[in-house]
Amino acid sequence: MANGAMKTQRWFDAVQRCQHKGEAYALVTVLGCTGSTPRDQGSKMVITGESTYDTIGGGHLEFVVTNKAREMISDNKSVQEIQHFPLGASLGQCCGGSATVLMETFAGCDFHIGLFGAGHVAKALVTILAGLPCKVTWVDSREAEFPADVPANVTQVISDQPTYELEQLPNGSDVLILTHNHQLDYELCLSAIKHGNLRHVGLIGSLTKAERFVKRMLHRGIDQTDIDRITCPVGLSDVPGKLPMEVAVSIAGQLIAVENKGKTTDARRGLAWKEIKQELGGEVNTEGQGSVLKVTHT
């Protein structure tokens, strides 16, 4: 069974993998236990929508925790919950002890980029996108143009129908059209307009290319409002340069601006220190740097 095989991968490797891929996951930690339990405090496992990694002891406890974690993951929010399980009374396990677990969910990445073309600019851009919290679908019909290794957050798609691949992108995706063929660029622009639910569409090229595309689209009866959703030339106008990496930096900067437009950061996130002290009790040591809350076990 796939899930069973995944248990051999340690939880910390799974966390790194999920972070790199932008995949939603839950990290489960046994905070404490009494009596006979499958695993001791500190045991951890990672749960995704499809797999589990490492184990907190198996049995019905792990089954219930896995199902609960997947319910939490489905909301795609980063939250924390502490749950207590009497193993004998509520879960029917023969050990008869109890376990308290911390369930932390980490939202998956919804910053999705469809990158069309595997030329010099696209290759340079991928090296930048590898370090950003995004998922990239990289499409080209020329297998030989792709590098031997691609970053963990990039999915390589070799397709003779790139327009179809564009139309299958999730709603809210950002699209970058950077192919070697002007006619293909034009057809991809039409597919982007047909999709209708993309956040940002960027087309590489000059102002002259943009004007020609606009005339062709208007001649086809495409509404000017739909045409205006395509940005050409793509990239930040105040970031000059014609080298592939310079163009890539300009495009990446524009994408980052689009992703963060209108976002605000709350001054307070999670539990305040005062609330944590109140809820957990214990002795606070303020010597040295910071404060230490020591929770005694009874």
Side-chain angles (χ1 to χ4, degrees):
M1 186 172 66
N3 271 7
M6 293 297 181
K7 291 181 187 295
T8 59
Q9 182 170 351
R10 297 303 305 274
W11 65 267
F12 42 82
D13 293 323
V15 167
Q16 185 180 51
R17 170 188 170 277
C18 291
Q19 289 283 2
H20 285 173
K21 292 188 67 176
E23 182 178 7
Y25 69 96
L27 175 62
V28 176
T29 305
V30 178
L31 292 180
C33 48
T34 60
S36 178
T37 55
R39 295 288 295 275
D40 288 331
Q41 74 269 19
S43 300
K44 298 177 185 288
M45 69 180 294
V46 168
I47 300 164
T48 70
E50 301 294 332
S51 304
T52 63
Y53 304 87
D54 223 316
T55 179
I56 56 170
H60 200 49
L61 170 64
E62 188 166 304
F63 176 79
V64 171
V65 166
T66 298
N67 287 340
K68 174 60 178 176
R70 286 180 175 153
E71 287 179 14
M72 295 168 67
I73 291 170
S74 66
D75 293 333
N76 202 37
K77 295 180 180 179
S78 297
V79 298
Q80 297 173 314
E81 287 187 7
I82 295 177
Q83 297 198 23
H84 181 70
F85 299 95
L87 302 184
S90 64
L91 300 185
Q93 292 197 195
C94 59
C95 13
S98 65
T100 303
V101 300
L102 170 64
M103 304 178 69
E104 301 174 272
T105 62
F106 299 84
C109 176
D110 56 7
F111 183 8
H112 190 185
I113 301 166
L115 174 59
F116 293 82
H120 297 300
V121 172
K123 289 185 179 73
L125 181 60
V126 162
T127 65
I128 300 173
L129 298 180
L132 297 179
C134 63
K135 291 181 180 179
V136 182
T137 300
W138 192 8
V139 183
D140 201 297
S141 61
R142 304 165 298 168
E143 182 175 2
E145 289 299 317
F146 287 104
D149 298 308
V150 297
N153 64 335
V154 176
T155 300
Q156 174 183 303
V157 178
I158 302 165
S159 174
D160 290 327
Q161 296 181 301
T163 54
Y164 170 81
E165 305 297 339
L166 191 153
E167 291 168 12
Q168 302 309 305
L169 290 174
N171 290 344
S173 295
D174 300 309
V175 169
L176 299 172
I177 301 173
L178 314 177
T179 84
H180 63 294
N181 185 307
H182 278 216
Q183 179 57 31
L184 177 56
D185 284 352
Y186 178 73
E187 292 170 2
L188 286 166
C189 287
L190 296 180
S191 294
I193 292 172
K194 180 180 178 181
H195 188 294
N197 289 302
L198 301 171
R199 182 173 64 171
H200 169 77
V201 181
L203 169 66
I204 198 168
S206 63
L207 289 173
T208 301
K209 177 180 179 180
E211 291 171 359
R212 290 174 179 171
F213 276 28
V214 169
K215 288 180 180 179
R216 292 178 66 180
M217 290 178 186
L218 289 173
H219 184 71
R220 290 179 62 115
I222 297 174
D223 190 89
Q224 183 69 53
T225 302
D226 291 329
I227 297 173
D228 289 343
R229 293 180 182 143
I230 300 172
T231 300
C232 182
V234 65
L236 298 173
S237 59
D238 55 349
V239 178
K242 295 183 179 181
L243 294 175
M245 184 54 75
E246 292 173 330
V247 178
V249 168
S250 172
I251 295 172
Q254 187 174 60
L255 279 177
I256 293 170
V258 169
E259 169 64 9
N260 289 280
K261 183 179 181 180
K263 288 187 177 181
T264 58
T265 301
D266 294 333
R268 172 179 165 178
R269 298 174 295 279
L271 292 174
W273 174 238
K274 180 179 179 180
E275 293 173 337
I276 294 173
K277 290 189 294 182
Q278 181 178 343
E279 290 294 325
L280 296 181
E283 180 183 347
V284 178
N285 185 344
T286 58
E287 296 178 1
Q289 293 182 332
S291 299
V292 177
L293 175 63
K294 184 176 181 180
V295 181
T296 57
H297 299 282
T298 58

